[in-house]
Amino acid sequence: MKAAAAPGVAGPLDATVCFGAVMHERHVGARNRFVYPTAFLRLPLGSVDRLSVPLLGIDRFNAFAFLSRDHGRRDGSPLLPWMREILRHHGVAEVCDGEVVLQTMPRVLGYVFNPVSFWCCHDAAGKLRVVLAEVSNTFGEHHNYLVHHPDCRPIEHGDELRASKVFHVSPFFPVRGEYRFRFESRGAVHAVAIDYWDGGEQQLTTRVGGRAQALTGGAMRKWLLRYPFMTLGIVARIHWQALRLALKRVSFHRKPLPPIEETT
């Protein structure tokens, strides 16, 4: 499958590139808020290996590269069977008989760090039913949160889905409490809200979103010109914000062992 020739608005199941922003706001102790520009891909896994887009390599090097070994089992094996197996293991495969769209950042000039990627699992009618949030920390560890309604009904704009926090991400928050997810896909806008709650109080607000356009060479050239060092910048910004909090003497939590189970 080749990406559309013109950079127009594509559908939620199409290959797209999104330009937008990420926002974090700490609500307790030393309050802290920042907003940075970002960009990300939305890739339908059923046809990703047939994509042909200038500047974007699929399992090969290019200015941008989407590599199977950066996700799933992290051994380069096909991603869609891995996701289907997780859905079967958790008893939700029957309602996810449609496309799986992976929202993520590619390697940029050979380097990647994805704090979180979202595997959006749809039914045959194109309705979102299940989302797997694939979380990575700066210690090279990974964990997945699988979220859906108890009855697996379609996930609509504004619906809140919860998952207990079991994986260490920031040293300034303990591994307890819960995440509350909300997903939005309206026209060209795709956004995710993740609120962290602990002890009945909201601790952190995170938002990431962008406006989509068809995945073309022109879109990737725009990304390269705007944000050539995006993934390096992500890690630099994480450490800069951590330094700011450390200087404010925010309580520091040592990293525990990662959870035994791969997916919560």
Side-chain angles (χ1 to χ4, degrees), residues 80-154:
L80 190 55
W82 175 80
M83 185 69 247
R84 297 292 189 202
E85 178 56 34
I86 288 179
L87 295 172
R88 283 192 292 272
H89 179 74
H90 290 272
V92 293
E94 289 187 3
V95 299
C96 298
D97 54 350
E99 185 63 88
V100 177
V101 177
L102 177 55
Q103 178 174 311
T104 190
M105 284 183 288
R107 289 179 175 261
V108 184
L109 303 177
Y111 186 77
V112 69
F113 176 66
N114 271 307
V116 59
S117 298
F118 300 99
W119 304 62
C120 303
C121 306
H122 301 80
D123 61 22
K127 295 286 189 180
L128 182 63
R129 296 286 189 141
V130 173
V131 177
L132 181 113
E134 183 182 34
V135 181
S136 302
N137 62 24
T138 54
F139 300 94
E141 298 170 339
H142 315 280
H143 188 72
N144 308 315
Y145 293 96
L146 192 74
V147 295
H148 56 81
H149 289 297
D151 60 359
C152 288
R153 68 182 184 275

Side-chain angles (χ1 to χ4, degrees), residues 18-260:
C18 301
F19 295 95
V22 60
M23 183 276 289
H24 284 245
E25 184 173 6
R26 180 186 176 95
H27 300 287
V28 294
R31 295 178 180 268
N32 189 45
R33 185 180 189 274
F34 61 86
V35 181
Y36 293 129
T38 192
F40 52 87
L41 300 177
R42 287 177 55 86
L43 301 174
L45 294 183
S47 56
V48 68
D49 58 342
R50 300 192 297 276
L51 277 174
S52 178
V53 180
L55 296 180
L56 176 63
I58 304 298
D59 280 322
R60 61 183 177 83
F61 179 80
N62 208 323
F64 298 89
F66 173 75
L67 305 183
S68 298
R69 61 184 170 89
D70 291 332
H71 301 278
R73 294 187 180 90
R74 287 179 165 75
D75 60 1
S77 59
L79 298 178
L80 190 55
W82 175 80
M83 185 69 247
R84 297 292 189 202
E85 178 56 34
I86 288 179
L87 295 172
R88 283 192 292 272
H89 179 74
H90 290 272
V92 293
E94 289 187 3
V95 299
C96 298
D97 54 350
E99 185 63 88
V100 177
V101 177
L102 177 55
Q103 178 174 311
T104 190
M105 284 183 288
R107 289 179 175 261
V108 184
L109 303 177
Y111 186 77
V112 69
F113 176 66
N114 271 307
V116 59
S117 298
F118 300 99
W119 304 62
C120 303
C121 306
H122 301 80
D123 61 22
K127 295 286 189 180
L128 182 63
R129 296 286 189 141
V130 173
V131 177
L132 181 113
E134 183 182 34
V135 181
S136 302
N137 62 24
T138 54
F139 300 94
E141 298 170 339
H142 315 280
H143 188 72
N144 308 315
Y145 293 96
L146 192 74
V147 295
H148 56 81
H149 289 297
D151 60 359
C152 288
R153 68 182 184 275
I155 300 170
E156 305 289 351
H157 171 65
D159 288 354
E160 186 177 83
L161 304 170
R162 302 186 181 190
S164 296
K165 180 180 179 180
V166 299
F167 179 63
H168 177 86
V169 177
S170 167
F172 302 105
F173 288 112
V175 180
R176 65 176 186 236
E178 67 178 12
Y179 292 118
R180 302 182 184 183
F181 296 85
R182 294 191 304 279
F183 302 93
E184 176 183 359
S185 187
R186 291 184 176 183
V189 175
H190 301 284
V192 182
I194 309 173
D195 297 331
Y196 169 53
W197 286 70
D198 183 32
E201 185 177 7
Q202 186 172 351
Q203 308 285 314
L204 181 70
T205 296
T206 303
R207 302 284 187 272
V208 58
R211 181 170 294 275
Q213 62 183 71
L215 181 54
T216 65
M220 300 312 294
R221 282 191 293 273
K222 181 167 74 171
W223 185 339
L224 189 61
L225 290 172
R226 285 186 179 182
Y227 317 120
F229 304 108
M230 172 171 285
T231 47
L232 288 171
I234 289 171
V235 175
R237 288 163 176 168
I238 287 173
H239 287 91
W240 167 243
Q241 296 298 332
L243 176 61
R244 292 181 63 190
L245 292 175
L247 293 174
K248 294 178 181 179
R249 301 179 183 242
V250 174
S251 298
F252 189 90
H253 300 269
R254 292 189 178 276
K255 187 185 81 66
L257 292 173
I260 297 175

